[in-house]
Amino acid sequence: MATFKAIRIDKADKGTTAALTQFDEAELMEGDVTVAVEWSTVNYKDGLAVTGKSPVVRRFPMIAGVDFAGTVLESSHSGWKAGDKVVSTGWGLSETHLGAYAQKARVKGDWLVRLPEGMTARQAMAIGTAGFTAMLSVMALEKYGLTPKHGPVVVTGAAGGVGSVAVAILSKLGFHVIASTGRAAEADYLRGLGATEVIDRNELSGPPKALAKERWAGGIDSVGSTTLANLLSMTKYGGAIAACGLAGGMDLPSSVAPFILRGVCLLGIDSVMCPIEPRKAAWARIAKDVDHAKLAEMTTEIGLDEVIGAAPKILAGQLRGRTVVKIS
């Protein structure tokens, strides 16, 4: 039986181990589509899985990597045939199902989205789970009714993957974007993506008030915890915050005051189990609303053999924008 390169995670006496090794095709899990993986990415969850800093991996052995783009090799699914270009994000990849840091992946055809016309597999992974999550967040704010005329919007963790794409999309849509970051050196980078203002994340890290001065009509938060509590307390009457991450923690030390005194809404964003139709809609919007020049500016490329070294860096906030992984 054939083997292929993959980053394999195994259970160890203390935690887990991750290594680039040969994986036996016979160990691939059930699925009706087999894909030659061409590109993947480094997301925050990938950093947790590869380093073992959080127990996101729930079966062993595991192939890490939560998203991929590639070409269908074999399919018994009615919607896909050999040669089709596809994208997959979430669905438990790298958690409960063998993931994307490998030359092959076998998944359910219902987990796949067609690569948008005019977009390369590399560009799709420059978007990846982080950018897909950012677009879902933008769409949630739009569904709520938020438009540029309502006022500024804030993006936290702005120099990271979700934040970089969110800044670029929101600015293209005409919003006045306030980018929050702990990396002052990235101010010019963020303005290049379209941010109108750049603020220090310390402005959002102090003990949150029940209600603070109104500063923005909405926002996208990938940090959680105290940062999200402060965002809510500073949101204008009738505004909304889309919450899509927990880099700062899972707690929310807030109060009901923003909700019952200012009518603020907290919009929850899940990209892992998002149904297929919203996925298709989000990827269609990505193809239309993401500036390819800005995408290239925020993207760095590494090889599969560099992923293990990159994992702790994304957890430490040392990776700017998006990092794509060339698989083959």
Side-chain angles (χ1 to χ4, degrees):
M1 182 65 69
T3 63
F4 54 87
K5 287 182 180 181
I7 293 180
R8 174 174 171 145
I9 301 177
D10 286 288
K11 193 78 172 173
D13 291 338
K14 293 183 179 180
T16 61
T17 61
L20 178 60
T21 185
Q22 291 292 320
F23 200 89
D24 195 323
E25 190 170 341
E27 292 190 72
L28 283 174
M29 297 172 69
E30 291 185 3
D32 47 16
V33 180
T34 302
V35 178
V37 180
E38 296 162 8
W39 294 91
S40 186
T41 67
V42 180
N43 298 288
Y44 192 84
K45 187 180 285 186
D46 295 317
L48 295 174
V50 172
T51 62
K53 293 293 186 182
S54 180
V56 296
V57 177
R58 301 177 192 174
R59 61 96 69 190
F60 299 93
M62 175 57 74
I63 296 175
V66 304
D67 48 14
F68 66 78
T71 303
V72 173
L73 293 172
E74 301 174 355
S75 174
S76 59
H77 187 283
S78 60
W80 305 106
K81 66 181 185 305
D84 285 343
K85 301 292 186 179
V86 294
V87 177
S88 185
T89 62
W91 296 118
L93 293 179
S94 187
E95 296 180 74
T96 57
H97 195 94
L98 296 178
Y101 292 154
Q103 292 173 312
K104 286 187 180 180
R106 184 176 295 143
V107 297
K108 296 180 180 180
D110 291 342
W111 294 355
L112 300 172
V113 175
R114 197 169 301 279
L115 181 70
E117 187 175 350
M119 181 176 287
T120 67
R122 186 185 188 279
Q123 288 171 330
M125 285 298 97
I127 295 294
T129 291
F132 172 62
T133 303
M135 180 54 81
L136 289 177
S137 301
V138 170
M139 291 168 64
L141 292 174
E142 290 177 333
K143 184 177 180 180
Y144 179 76
L146 195 68
T147 66
K149 71 179 182 181
H150 291 104
V153 292
V154 63
V155 176
T156 63
V162 174
S164 292
V165 179
V167 169
I169 293 172
L170 288 167
S171 66
K172 186 175 180 182
L173 294 175
F175 284 92
H176 175 114
V177 181
I178 302 171
S180 167
T181 181
R183 294 180 262 176
E186 302 292 8
D188 288 343
Y189 162 75
L190 292 168
R191 290 191 179 93
L193 294 182
T196 308
E197 299 178 52
V198 179
I199 64 173
D200 193 296
R201 69 182 177 194
N202 288 332
E203 294 187 34
L204 304 173
S205 62
K209 298 178 180 179
L211 289 176
K213 181 180 178 180
E214 295 174 90
R215 297 179 64 178
W216 32 71
I220 295 175
D221 174 59
S222 61
V223 179
S225 191
T226 300
T227 295
L228 178 55
N230 275 301
L231 285 188
L232 291 167
S233 75
M234 299 175 187
T235 300
K236 294 181 179 182
Y237 189 93
I241 301 293
C244 62
L246 46 67
M250 291 188 68
D251 62 318
L252 182 56
S254 184
S255 74
V256 299
F259 310 116
I260 65 172
L261 297 179
R262 287 186 182 161
V264 171
C265 278
L266 179 58
L267 310 173
I269 307 299
D270 167 55
S271 65
V272 176
M273 303 305 292
C274 176
I276 195 65
E277 291 307 318
R279 284 177 185 268
K280 291 178 180 178
W283 278 101
R285 285 289 304 276
I286 286 167
K288 181 177 61 128
D289 290 333
V290 173
D291 185 310
H292 285 190
K294 289 182 179 179
L295 186 62
E297 173 66 23
M298 71 176 78
T299 304
T300 302
E301 179 181 322
I302 63 174
L304 187 58
D305 59 344
E306 298 174 271
V307 168
I308 293 175
K313 293 180 181 179
I314 195 167
L315 298 185
Q318 296 171 353
L319 296 185
R320 170 206 275 185
R322 304 290 295 126
T323 300
V324 295
V325 180
K326 187 175 184 180
I327 301 295
S328 57

